[in-house]
Amino acid sequence: MSSSKGRDETVNALDTSLSETGGSDVFTKLSAAHFLSSFEQFKGKIRSLTPKSAFPADGSINEEALLRSVNKTALAEWLGTAIDMLDRAARQIQGAADLETQICSADAENKCLLKEKVEDQRTIIKLQSQLIEKEQESVQSFRETVQKEVKSYAGVVASSCATALSPKKLQTVVKRIHDTEDRSRNIMIHGLAEKNGEDLKNSVSDIFSQLGEKPMFSIPCRVGKPVSGSVRPVKVSFPSASVVPALLKKSPNLRQSDTYKNIFITPDRSREERVARRALIQELRQKRKDEPDLTFFIKSGKVQRV
């Protein structure tokens, strides 16, 4: 019988034995592998203690030569090797069994923790459901109260709205809102010299470049009728109102430019807003004149002091 064939038969026999005894887990198979490894070492030890003639090159065993080489010393070596092999295999099997016991214990503990976690989740869901029910009751109560109040004031509101919301007033409000939104996308440039055949777009672009800005804008235009000796302001419109605050904030920097030091930028105000602004400026000038040691400025539609 060849060595490899004998080892295969041994492995098959061990697997069959493990299956019959229920030992098909990885730890028991691992112990069997250690046992087979020790068994191979035992056979190697026997080969080293017997003449080569007992084990021909074809893998067979010469029993007659093997028996002739057996003596007390060789037998003692064989038995010692066998005992050592069995001892090591037993330790490996015991270690695998201990490890399997630890894993089973940990698995049982994990299952217990999982069960507790599931119970906690159920409790949380139950409390959340109760809280939602309470909130729904509160909302329903509030809704009923509001409906009652609305009905009680419905008559009064209906009688007063007929006058307050007349078509003419509605048109005025809508127009005012539209004008406010439209003006928020505009700025007014004052002090830009007026010339025949002027290129306002290039002039405005140059002013914005001085401020470090390059916004997109529509073709600018002068506002009002030409008057001899005066310069009409230039109106500039943008696709969005978002660029206007940055330009207004940086506009004082034009005073540092030799070319544009007499130019200033303002929001596009309505007629009423311009009147109110002039009144604020007059108030500001008067306060500065009356109290020259103090610093005054306009903010949030009021004259304020530092």
Side-chain angles (χ1 to χ4, degrees), residues 2 10 24 26 64 97 101 103 117 123 127 166-167 186 211-212 248 250 279 289 306:
S2 66
T10 305
S24 59
V26 67
E64 183 179 352
T101 300
I103 291 178
K117 186 175 181 180
T123 302
L127 292 174
S166 63
N186 306 334
L211 299 177
L248 293 174
K250 293 182 178 181
K289 181 179 179 181
V306 176

Side-chain angles (χ1 to χ4, degrees), residues 146-159:
V146 171
Q147 289 176 348
K148 291 179 181 178
E149 294 294 332
V150 170
K151 289 180 180 178
S152 64
Y153 289 107
V156 177
V157 173
S159 60

Side-chain angles (χ1 to χ4, degrees), residues 13-264:
L14 282 171
D15 285 341
T16 302
S17 176
L18 291 172
S19 299
E20 291 175 353
T21 58
S24 59
D25 56 278
V26 67
F27 300 107
T28 307
K29 288 187 176 181
L30 181 61
S31 300
H34 284 293
F35 177 82
L36 291 175
S37 176
S38 299
F39 183 69
E40 290 293 335
Q41 294 178 8
F42 172 65
K43 290 200 299 182
K45 184 69 173 178
I46 293 176
R47 290 177 182 271
S48 66
L49 296 174
T50 54
K52 295 182 179 180
S53 59
F55 298 97
D58 59 1
S60 61
I61 299 177
N62 189 335
E63 296 180 0
E64 183 179 352
L66 181 61
L67 291 175
R68 283 200 305 270
S69 65
V70 174
N71 53 41
K72 185 177 180 180
T73 300
L75 186 58
E77 289 282 350
W78 293 354
L79 291 175
T81 302
I83 291 172
D84 180 64
M85 177 197 72
L86 293 173
D87 182 61
R88 281 187 291 170
R91 287 198 300 268
Q92 294 290 345
I93 293 173
Q94 184 60 44
D98 293 342
L99 182 59
E100 184 176 8
T101 300
Q102 294 176 7
I103 291 178
C104 290
S105 177
D107 184 57
E109 184 177 354
N110 289 336
K111 289 181 179 179
C112 182
L113 292 174
L114 180 60
K115 184 177 180 181
E116 292 179 358
K117 186 175 181 180
V118 171
E119 291 297 329
D120 291 341
Q121 291 291 338
R122 288 176 178 172
T123 302
I124 291 173
I125 293 173
K126 183 178 180 180
L127 292 174
Q128 288 178 339
S129 299
Q130 294 175 354
L131 180 61
I132 291 173
E133 290 178 0
K134 291 291 184 182
E135 291 179 349
Q136 289 177 344
E137 292 176 0
S138 299
V139 171
Q140 181 63 27
S141 176
F142 177 75
R143 183 181 299 169
E144 293 175 355
T145 302
V146 171
Q147 289 176 348
K148 291 179 181 178
E149 294 294 332
V150 170
K151 289 180 180 178
S152 64
Y153 289 107
V156 177
V157 173
S159 60
S160 60
C161 283
T163 303
L165 299 178
S166 63
K168 187 175 181 180
K169 289 186 176 181
L170 284 175
Q171 290 177 359
T172 303
V173 171
V174 171
K175 185 177 184 301
R176 184 178 301 172
I177 294 173
H178 179 270
D179 290 345
T180 302
E181 292 180 349
D182 188 57
R183 291 179 185 277
S184 66
R185 298 186 295 107
N186 306 334
I187 62 170
M188 303 296 290
I189 300 177
H190 303 267
L192 182 61
E194 192 169 353
K195 303 175 184 178
N196 292 328
E198 61 185 357
D199 189 348
L200 286 178
K201 187 170 185 180
N202 285 337
S203 298
V204 170
S205 295
D206 193 31
I207 292 173
F208 290 161
S209 297
Q210 290 289 326
L211 299 177
E213 298 287 339
K214 294 183 178 181
M216 295 180 60
F217 58 91
S218 59
I219 298 176
C221 62
R222 297 278 181 180
V223 177
K225 295 180 180 181
V227 178
S228 178
S230 65
V231 178
R232 292 177 295 169
V234 177
K235 178 179 177 180
V236 184
S237 299
F238 304 95
S240 171
S242 60
V243 300
V244 172
L247 292 171
L248 293 174
K249 185 177 181 180
K250 293 182 178 181
S251 62
N253 297 336
L254 292 173
R255 298 171 188 170
Q256 302 173 6
S257 170
D258 293 335
T259 306
Y260 301 111
K261 61 183 178 181
N262 295 323
I263 291 177
F264 60 97

Side-chain angles (χ1 to χ4, degrees), residues 267-278:
D268 182 15
R269 299 186 177 97
S270 64
R271 185 182 185 87
E272 293 81 3
E273 290 173 338
R274 290 197 298 270
V275 171
R277 182 72 178 182
R278 280 195 291 269

